Amino acid sequence: MTPLRKPALDGDPIARRILIIDDDVELCELLTEYLVPEGFQVDAVHSGTQGIERALSNNYALLVLDVMLPGTRGFDVLQQIRTKSRVPVIMLTARGDEVDRILGLEIGADDYMPKPFNPRELAARIHAVLRRTSTASEPAASNEPLRLADIELDPGARSAKRDSREIDLTSVEFDLLNIFLRSAGTVLQREDLARQVLGRDLAPFDRSIDVHVSNLRKKLGPLPDGSDRIKAVRSVGYLYVLVEKAKAK
């Protein structure tokens, strides 16, 4: 099996390369004009087929992917990319279409932007995602490997394992797991998680964090004793259970 391509890190020559996959040529040109002065190298393609080919044959730090594409929909494009690459993806969705947003996050998108949007806000989201996926600016202590029960996490390599088998996590899921392991036994608020892993505040009725946590919970599975590894705390947030507490049940 071909190993999954991991995100670019600061210092890597591809760390500023972005691919936009959107059939709106004018929007692609506008975003290119805005992002290039921000220090990014921007490529754009206008169909899902082209997007898959370019995303998997070139190294990009991040993809901006529209849901509504001619022929192959953005969701199908994302699914095919996720079979071979963990490159961060921001999806562009129709404003008010929560179903598309949730589906995109469930498939493996890191974040979304509802159209129409301000290019400045998209640039801010891109910077936030790239900051998360870079380990160069993190303190050395935070790169120490972590282990809790059957889960091992290596922040430096951005890899996670369960029972010595690698878990395929998106960049957001990896960052959530990192935070959960370091704060096991402590209730974490949804709003704080959003600021740390999404780099933004949650909008009203925004379920992004809930979907990412749900995806992570499924990939990790239950604790060795069969109990829930991540518990929802009603109206507050989430708790990653300490092994000792789980065994005491």
Side-chain angles (χ1 to χ4, degrees):
M1 180 180 294
T2 303
L4 289 173
R5 183 176 298 151
K6 297 186 179 181
L9 304 178
D10 282 350
D12 189 313
I14 68 169
R16 308 293 288 182
R17 294 188 64 198
I18 293 174
L19 176 65
I20 302 173
I21 308 172
D22 195 312
D23 63 324
D24 187 333
V25 177
E26 291 186 1
L27 176 62
C28 290
E29 292 175 348
L30 173 64
L31 293 179
T32 299
E33 291 177 0
Y34 191 88
L35 293 173
V36 168
E38 292 273 322
F40 295 108
Q41 177 184 335
V42 182
D43 295 331
V45 293
H46 310 300
S47 73
T49 302
Q50 289 178 309
I52 295 169
E53 180 180 354
R54 291 291 292 275
L56 296 181
S57 63
N58 294 274
N59 289 322
Y60 289 99
L62 180 141
L63 309 181
V64 177
L65 172 63
D66 188 23
V67 169
M68 300 300 295
L69 291 169
T72 305
R73 292 194 75 198
F75 299 130
D76 300 317
V77 172
L78 179 57
Q79 283 182 315
Q80 293 193 49
I81 290 173
R82 278 289 172 257
T83 63
K84 297 181 180 179
S85 175
R86 296 176 184 170
V87 60
V89 176
I90 296 177
M91 295 204 79
L92 305 180
T93 67
R95 182 172 295 278
D97 198 337
E98 185 179 9
V99 174
D100 278 357
R101 299 176 193 177
I102 293 174
L103 181 56
L105 295 172
E106 288 178 340
I107 293 173
D110 292 77
D111 205 350
Y112 65 84
M113 284 288 297
K115 286 183 173 181
F117 56 83
N118 187 320
R120 178 178 297 179
E121 184 176 356
L122 177 60
R125 296 281 182 95
I126 290 172
H127 282 296
V129 171
L130 294 183
R131 278 195 300 270
R132 290 200 318 267
T133 55
S134 170
T135 59
S137 60
E138 296 179 0
S142 68
N143 284 333
E144 290 295 321
L146 301 172
R147 183 180 180 92
L148 185 60
D150 54 342
I151 300 296
E152 299 175 63
L153 183 140
D154 185 343
R158 291 191 68 83
S159 65
K161 296 180 180 179
R162 179 182 180 186
D163 288 330
S164 299
R165 296 182 179 180
E166 187 155 0
I167 310 168
D168 177 19
L169 300 178
T170 66
S171 62
V172 172
E173 291 162 2
F174 179 89
D175 291 333
L176 276 173
L177 180 57
N178 193 355
I179 293 170
F180 278 137
L181 291 182
R182 295 180 186 280
S183 306
T186 301
V187 177
L188 301 177
Q189 296 187 357
R190 294 172 67 254
E191 291 77 8
D192 291 338
L193 288 172
R195 294 187 189 102
Q196 292 183 70
V197 304
L198 299 180
R200 62 178 176 84
D201 292 329
L202 288 175
F205 311 109
D206 189 337
R207 296 181 56 195
S208 301
I209 283 296
D210 304 306
V211 176
H212 286 305
V213 171
S214 176
N215 291 343
L216 177 62
R217 184 189 283 123
K218 292 174 185 175
K219 291 181 179 181
L220 296 178
L223 283 163
D225 67 355
S227 63
D228 290 336
R229 193 180 300 268
I230 302 174
K231 295 183 179 293
V233 180
R234 188 179 181 87
S235 301
V236 180
Y238 293 95
L239 168 73
Y240 193 101
V241 179
L242 281 171
V243 178
E244 292 76 13
K245 292 185 178 180
K247 289 182 177 179
K249 291 184 177 181

